Amino acid sequence: IEILFRIREVLRSSLVFCYNDRMAAGLLRALREAKEDDPELFGVLGFDNDDFTKYTHMRISTITQSVDDLAVKTLDLLNGFVNDDKVEKQHPVLTRFINRETTMGE
């Protein structure tokens, strides 16, 4: 937790973007244990919109991906490999920010 306060001082950032929602939940737990779980002090943002985040003590803000879009792009990529087609190096996927309690939403 002390490192977060140092990062906040140096970078002037008050949002922590976690690798996934489970990591965000772990950070929230540590912040809560340190009595520092105020979203005005540190916003916490996860990634992947895991169902369990709706049931944590604070609902976790997250980035979600379009599963349909991801499936279509995956099938297109596999089809390209099977047919020896030229395959693009980048495959952007639609994402959406879900604003919940950990970033002062809802």
Side-chain angles (χ1 to χ4, degrees):
I1 298 301
E2 291 176 21
I3 191 73
L4 289 177
F5 286 100
R6 182 72 182 129
I7 289 170
R8 183 173 179 215
E9 288 174 18
V10 172
L11 299 178
R12 299 189 189 283
S13 175
S14 61
L15 176 69
V16 179
F17 185 17
C18 297
Y19 176 74
N20 59 31
D21 289 342
R22 293 190 183 270
M23 297 291 287
L27 174 59
L28 273 180
R29 181 178 180 171
L31 288 169
R32 185 177 191 189
E33 289 172 1
K35 299 189 182 356
E36 300 288 352
D37 61 341
D38 181 351
E40 288 186 30
L41 185 62
F42 281 109
V44 177
L45 179 61
F47 187 89
D48 67 10
N49 197 26
D50 196 315
D51 285 339
F52 85 95
T53 60
K54 297 172 189 156
Y55 308 106
T56 53
H57 82 280
M58 290 179 73
R59 292 173 32 127
I60 298 172
S61 297
T62 190
I63 304 291
T64 188
Q65 300 175 65
S66 167
V67 175
D68 292 341
D69 187 42
L70 191 58
V72 167
K73 289 185 189 281
T74 300
L75 290 174
D76 287 346
L77 184 64
L78 288 172
N79 190 37
F81 282 130
V82 168
N83 294 325
D84 288 326
D85 293 339
K86 183 179 177 182
V87 178
E88 296 293 324
K89 291 184 180 184
Q90 294 185 5
H91 305 276
V93 177
L94 297 174
T95 58
R96 183 172 52 95
F97 170 63
I98 299 174
N99 190 15
R100 295 185 180 130
E101 293 171 303
T102 61
T103 53
M104 297 178 22
E106 292 186 11

